[in-house]
Amino acid sequence: MDENVASFAALTPRNAVVFAHSAGAVPVFLALQARQIAPRALVLLEPGLYDVARGVPVIEDHIETMTRARALSRSGDLFGYWSIVRPLMFGGPADRSRWDEEREAAARFEAKQPPWGFGVTSSAINGVPTLVVTGGWNSEYEVIAGVLVGEGAEHVQLAGTNHRPQDHPGFADTVDGFLSGL
């Protein structure tokens, strides 16, 4: 994560409008907290900022479920991991008949660092105009958005594209409206 933060900070010009999707919001917040970036504004798409909402049951349930799944993979049971993660994150059950074609995707996803445990704080956005866009399909992202609204962020829900609100036909107009108000 330190390398991600350093790379991101080095590539981000002062007064940039920073867009971050899902777990990509974590290095953004860590760079903000370390004062390595000074963006003009943030646009966060379903930000995976679980640290800002620790203690909320839906957040804790997700972390516990993913921790249980990762324990299975660490013990050598990647299919057991996938049996928990596939329905949770990708929809539909894990199916042994598709395991050969899904094994690589399961291994790639399992190798990713979970987006919690980094000490991300919601107050990192204080003084930075922030738009949070969610899809209204997952209560975890709505809870995280609510915490960020408490720090001054604007929240818009664009339903119908699940974890990719950037694919919603109203996304560009939503962002343009937000940025024009700065």
Side-chain angles (χ1 to χ4, degrees):
M1 185 58 75
D2 291 340
E3 290 176 20
N4 290 342
V5 172
S7 295
F8 171 72
L11 295 170
T12 305
R14 185 170 189 75
N15 292 318
V17 175
V18 174
F19 286 73
H21 179 248
S22 196
V26 173
V28 171
F29 269 60
L30 293 173
L32 278 170
Q33 288 172 204
R35 301 184 193 275
Q36 295 176 336
I37 61 169
R40 175 175 158 234
L42 298 175
V43 178
L44 305 175
L45 310 160
E46 298 232 324
L49 299 169
Y50 288 82
D51 284 346
V52 305
R54 291 304 305 255
V56 176
V58 68
I59 299 297
E60 295 304 320
D61 289 348
H62 178 79
I63 291 171
E64 187 279 324
T65 299
M66 292 301 292
T67 300
R68 186 169 28 93
R70 290 174 71 80
L72 289 171
S73 68
R74 300 293 191 238
S75 71
D77 185 3
L78 185 60
F79 186 79
Y81 164 85
W82 195 236
S83 295
I84 293 170
V85 171
R86 190 184 198 296
L88 181 68
M89 303 297 291
F90 301 100
D95 182 340
R96 284 270 183 206
S97 68
R98 292 192 325 244
W99 183 230
D100 285 343
E101 64 193 66
E102 292 187 352
R103 180 188 312 265
E104 186 178 328
R108 268 195 322 273
F109 195 76
E110 194 281 335
K112 293 180 183 290
Q113 202 168 18
W116 52 81
F118 296 102
V120 169
T121 62
S122 59
S123 63
I125 64 168
N126 289 342
V128 180
T130 303
L131 173 64
V132 180
V133 184
T134 60
W137 68 283
N138 180 300
S139 57
E140 297 156 26
Y141 296 113
E142 301 306 319
V143 165
I144 292 166
V147 171
L148 297 175
V149 165
E151 296 288 350
E154 292 182 36
H155 175 216
V156 174
Q157 193 178 88
L158 298 175
T161 56
N162 294 343
H163 192 50
R164 293 187 48 87
Q166 63 268 37
D167 293 340
H168 189 280
F171 177 72
D173 288 341
T174 298
V175 172
D176 288 345
F178 169 71
L179 295 175
S180 70
L182 300 182

